[in-house]
Amino acid sequence: MNSKECMELADKTLMHTYNRYPIVWERGQGVYLYDIEGKEYLDFASGIAVFALGYDNKEYNEALKKQIDHIIHISNLYYSMPMAYAADKVTKASGMDKVFFTNSGTEAIEGAIKLAKRYYYDKTGSAEGEIIAMHHSFHGRSTGALAVTGTKKYRQPFGPLMPGISFAEFNHFESVKALITDKTCAIILEPVQGEGGIYPAEQKFLEQIRKLCNEKDIALIFDEIQCGMGRTGTMFACQDYHILPDIMTVAKALGCGVPVGAFLAKGKFADVLVPGDHGTTYGGNPLATAAVCVVFDLFEKEHILENVNQVSDYLWKTLEVVMEHHSDKIIAHRGKGLMQGLEFKEPVNEIIRKAQKEGLILISAGANVIRFVPPLIIQKKHVDTMAEKLEQCLIF
Ligand SMILES: *Cc1c(COP(=O)(O)O)cnc(C)c1O
């Protein structure tokens, strides 16, 4: 079957929820992807900030093969070694006390919301806890996560969604404060907004929110699904700000390709959920948590954070130059670590399609922002190649 036949077969029966690009992938190697016709592409998207370790990492592959030969699934009615190790690793790395494994980011958000509501219910006896979220946030597509996602067009057709949600301006403390009521049980935000256009939180903003949550006994939820797992140069973005949330969500690079997410909680929030409150059939199964274990091991062994810190400065400088060359088209450069964005005056979809022809994979974050989220093993020479190819696409 060639690309065209594959796409025709898929489009016949796959729901049309994505306008897919006309590429059929076959395999990956390091920071390169290959389509079924054998064309090579430099990958600056990592399957949307997932494949941090790069493709075809032998140790990662071996660990998963070994686990498959032992056991893939057992359910949460029992224990397994990978689950125990993974829980230990992710809590230690994040500074949180307890974890619940999910199968995706959106499910991690659902769990975080339930935890915050349950805490409020235990405290007040009222099941009317309300949540403050941010404009331009993205927290997922299930109905709870959608209710706290700050892009109206994603929410609009699917109401009525979970009530009691209000939206504040990101990096504008007074707008958050103005929304606080006696019923506010949680504030949820991404320390670096991803899909909304790559906006890092300001230090002061997070400090003020942390203080407010302490004073009012409100759960502070950090969604680190995209910005966590080394992406910004610390294991979790909040560590760069020296501010810990009460509840944290993680997914994307947590399993580096095996679908797994988690929500974590600290201090008085750690033991709020009790038997019967929450569950999942697959969540934290041996295959998923074996992936989590080997990912944490390889982050250390391959000095991933050091690499992010080295290469991210280089990426920053390189993109500054690209912006200078094309100041007629590019209006802003934002980000942290290996999570950066260039904002254009016009929608970027054409540039992304051109880049694909040049053998470069880019993704957008909102209509006008190109998002740079390469595998975390990227090197300076790859940044140079990316910039050359990108400049080719900008001459028009
Ligand atoms: C991707 C993403 C989600 C949703 O994760 P899924 O695994 O797609 O459900 C939630 N929050 C943020 C910040 C994300 O980037």
Side-chain angles (χ1 to χ4, degrees):
M1 211 189 317
N2 64 26
S3 289
K4 195 160 164 286
E5 288 159 347
C6 172
M7 291 187 277
E8 276 168 10
L9 179 65
D11 286 338
K12 253 188 225 163
T13 46
L14 276 176
M15 286 192 195
H16 189 192
T17 55
Y18 283 92
N19 287 317
R20 291 169 208 273
Y21 296 110
I23 303 176
V24 183
W25 295 121
E26 185 172 70
R27 64 188 184 90
Q29 182 72 57
V31 296
Y32 290 94
L33 286 166
Y34 300 86
D35 68 17
I36 61 168
E37 266 92 34
K39 181 176 170 182
E40 181 183 88
Y41 300 74
L42 176 60
D43 179 26
F44 261 69
S46 345
I48 319 188
V50 167
F51 234 110
L53 295 167
Y55 303 96
D56 201 27
N57 181 301
K58 294 290 179 242
E59 242 175 279
Y60 175 86
N61 292 356
E62 282 312 314
L64 290 183
K65 285 177 198 168
K66 210 168 131 196
Q67 189 58 49
I68 287 170
D69 286 340
H70 285 314
I71 193 162
I72 293 175
H73 179 77
I74 46 158
S75 100
N76 275 306
L77 301 176
Y78 314 95
Y79 293 90
S80 75
M81 295 287 263
M83 177 193 273
Y85 280 128
D88 183 57
K89 285 173 196 288
V90 70
T91 48
K92 280 191 179 130
S94 61
M96 307 301 275
D97 295 325
K98 293 276 174 81
V99 60
F100 182 105
F101 287 110
T102 66
N103 312 291
S104 65
T106 203
E107 286 168 79
I109 297 290
E110 299 293 329
I113 291 171
K114 280 181 72 178
L115 204 170
K117 284 187 179 261
R118 178 76 216 217
Y119 177 81
Y120 181 83
Y121 179 78
D122 287 348
K123 185 173 71 175
T124 64
S126 152
E128 293 185 354
E130 297 176 351
I131 299 173
I132 299 173
M134 302 296 140
H135 286 298
H136 305 296
S137 64
F138 182 85
H139 299 296
R141 302 293 198 152
S142 53
T143 55
L146 195 56
V148 291
T149 285
T151 304
K152 197 167 176 205
K153 86 165 189 244
Y154 291 158
R155 297 194 309 267
Q156 186 80 9
F158 303 107
L161 293 170
M162 177 172 58
I165 313 298
S166 55
F167 291 94
E169 287 303 321
F170 192 62
N171 279 334
H172 191 304
F173 179 65
E174 290 306 320
S175 81
V176 179
K177 210 173 150 191
L179 294 174
I180 299 274
T181 71
D182 287 345
K183 291 183 180 170
T184 307
C185 73
I187 297 176
I188 182 167
L189 61 88
E190 299 150 84
V192 183
Q193 287 192 329
E195 310 281 333
I198 313 292
Y199 289 93
E202 284 162 17
Q203 179 72 33
K204 182 99 188 287
F205 178 65
L206 292 191
E207 280 171 13
Q208 287 172 312
I209 293 220
R210 180 65 276 182
K211 191 157 166 274
L212 180 73
C213 287
N214 289 349
E215 284 165 9
K216 306 250 179 210
D217 196 25
I218 293 167
L220 178 55
I221 306 172
F222 279 177
D223 179 351
E224 294 237 13
I225 289 169
Q226 187 163 162
C227 63
M229 293 304 290
R231 176 71 39 202
T232 65
T234 44
M235 201 63 213
F236 295 95
C238 63
Q239 292 160 348
D240 194 33
Y241 292 94
H242 303 283
I243 291 171
L244 276 185
D246 302 301
I247 303 169
M248 187 195 291
T249 57
V250 191
K252 290 201 162 83
L254 180 62
C256 279
V258 172
V260 55
F263 63 97
L264 299 108
K266 192 173 169 50
K268 63 191 174 193
F269 293 91
D271 295 306
V272 168
L273 294 178
V274 294
D277 276 348
H278 201 53
T280 164
T281 300
Y282 285 135
N285 85 12
L287 182 66
T289 45
V292 174
C293 288
V294 69
V295 166
F296 277 106
D297 291 348
L298 288 172
F299 259 71
E300 250 176 62
K301 196 167 164 198
E302 302 193 353
H303 309 290
I304 297 293
L305 293 181
E306 286 91 328
N307 190 61
V308 173
N309 288 311
Q310 270 182 19
V311 181
S312 58
D313 284 347
Y314 193 72
L315 176 63
W316 185 270
K317 285 180 196 136
T318 306
L319 291 180
E320 286 289 295
V321 174
V322 173
M323 185 161 77
E324 235 169 72
H325 290 170
H326 302 277
S327 53
D328 55 323
K329 299 189 183 74
I330 304 173
I331 54 176
H333 175 204
R334 294 184 294 267
K336 227 178 182 19
L338 287 179
M339 182 174 179
Q340 297 185 26
L342 284 180
E343 183 173 346
F344 287 70
K345 281 184 192 153
E346 311 265 334
V348 294
N349 206 23
E350 264 317 296
I351 300 171
I352 288 172
R353 283 176 188 275
K354 274 190 188 162
Q356 288 165 3
K357 296 218 165 69
E358 297 286 331
L360 171 65
I361 297 301
L362 297 169
I363 46 171
S364 60
N368 290 12
V369 176
I370 293 183
R371 162 169 41 166
F372 300 84
V373 284
L376 302 183
I377 58 162
I378 205 102
Q379 295 167 18
K380 288 178 183 172
K381 65 180 183 195
H382 302 125
V383 174
D384 289 336
T385 309
M386 180 278 291
E388 276 164 36
K389 288 177 188 285
L390 177 60
E391 296 248 17
Q392 282 298 316
C393 307
L394 295 178
I395 312 167
F396 56 84

